[in-house]
Amino acid sequence: MTTVLVVDDHELFRAGMLAVLGSLPGIEVAGEASTGEEALESVARLRPDVVLMDLRMPGIGGLAATGRITERHPDTKVVVLTMNEDPDSVFAALRAGARGYLLKESGADDVHRVVEGVMRGEAVFGPKVAEHVVRFFAGGGSAPATSAFPHLTTREREVLDLMARGLDNASIARQLFLSEKTVRNRVSDILAKLQAGTRAEAVARARDAGIGED
């Protein structure tokens, strides 16, 4: 039996996916989690074969959780299961170590196919996502760079851009017409999502990705 952990912050979606998995032959539900942090704890405790991971969740989010799981538990395969089909999200997930990428609109047969595929050592994608991967290779292997950190919100990207340009919190607040407290909260969220220990580290990563440049 292949054991599967479902990670998503929407309770109704989790319940539906658990029901789908429970109906599929050869698959056993290992458990569920609603945040990236819970996913890390659950994987360490349950050691599932496969993790179905949403990208956008509270806390560190699915992308950061994927990176940590694949680093700490290389035998566990992560399959992203999300509503985001944009190329930036796809390639960010693959860089983080995901072995599959499936849209939430997918049916039970697609879920079954992807889970079985990653257990055979394959990299498996849903039909729409596969189109992005094919274009990537057809275009010479140049992944899109328009959004280096797709798990950040639009506002967080704006704050990160100004951080990378050398502005302090007070200056960012004036530029974006926000309170300094709001900016501090946004900076804390950015550090958590980028897994950056300091502001300087987040700025360095942003500049490496071309953020903060004219």
Side-chain angles (χ1 to χ4, degrees):
M1 296 289 282
T2 297
T3 56
V4 180
L5 174 72
V6 178
V7 184
D8 195 287
D9 62 329
H10 292 96
E11 184 176 357
L12 288 178
F13 179 82
R14 285 201 316 274
M17 182 52 59
L18 292 173
V20 168
L21 292 171
S23 71
L24 298 177
I27 292 179
E28 179 181 341
V29 174
E32 59 183 296
S34 60
T35 66
E37 290 85 351
E38 287 183 9
L40 296 175
E41 187 277 329
S42 295
V43 169
R45 177 169 49 86
L46 300 171
R47 299 300 175 95
D49 297 312
V50 177
V51 176
L52 297 182
M53 178 77 73
D54 190 17
L55 287 182
R56 299 188 182 277
M57 295 181 292
I60 65 172
L63 195 60
T66 295
R68 295 185 189 182
I69 289 170
T70 56
E71 179 181 354
R72 299 174 186 176
H73 308 282
D75 290 336
T76 295
K77 284 80 172 175
V78 178
V79 173
V80 169
L81 185 60
T82 181
M83 295 178 64
N84 302 321
E85 62 177 286
D86 61 283
D88 295 318
S89 295
V90 173
F91 287 102
L94 296 181
R95 285 192 294 268
R99 298 301 304 273
Y101 198 107
L102 199 60
L103 298 181
K104 287 186 174 180
E105 64 190 40
S106 303
D109 288 343
D110 285 328
V111 174
H112 199 192
R113 176 179 61 85
V114 169
V115 170
E116 288 188 327
V118 298
M119 287 303 296
R120 290 193 299 266
E122 302 171 2
V124 191
F125 312 99
K128 291 185 179 179
V129 176
E131 293 178 11
H132 297 313
V133 178
V134 170
R135 291 195 196 104
F136 167 70
F137 287 106
S142 178
T146 54
S147 177
F149 307 112
H151 49 307
L152 297 183
T153 65
T154 299
R155 178 63 82 188
E156 287 166 351
R157 288 184 58 80
E158 291 173 345
V159 171
L160 181 59
D161 178 77
L162 295 176
M163 289 167 57
R165 293 174 187 271
L167 275 65
D168 60 17
N169 287 356
S171 300
I172 294 173
R174 287 193 296 271
Q175 181 120 350
L176 298 180
F177 302 100
L178 300 171
S179 69
E180 285 193 50
K181 180 180 179 181
T182 297
V183 172
R184 285 196 302 272
N185 290 337
R186 293 289 183 272
V187 171
S188 295
D189 291 341
I190 290 167
L191 296 186
K193 289 184 178 182
L194 298 189
Q195 301 180 51
T198 65
R199 185 187 185 105
E201 182 181 349
V203 166
R205 291 188 58 189
R207 289 175 176 168
D208 286 343
I211 294 175
E213 300 176 354
D214 294 325

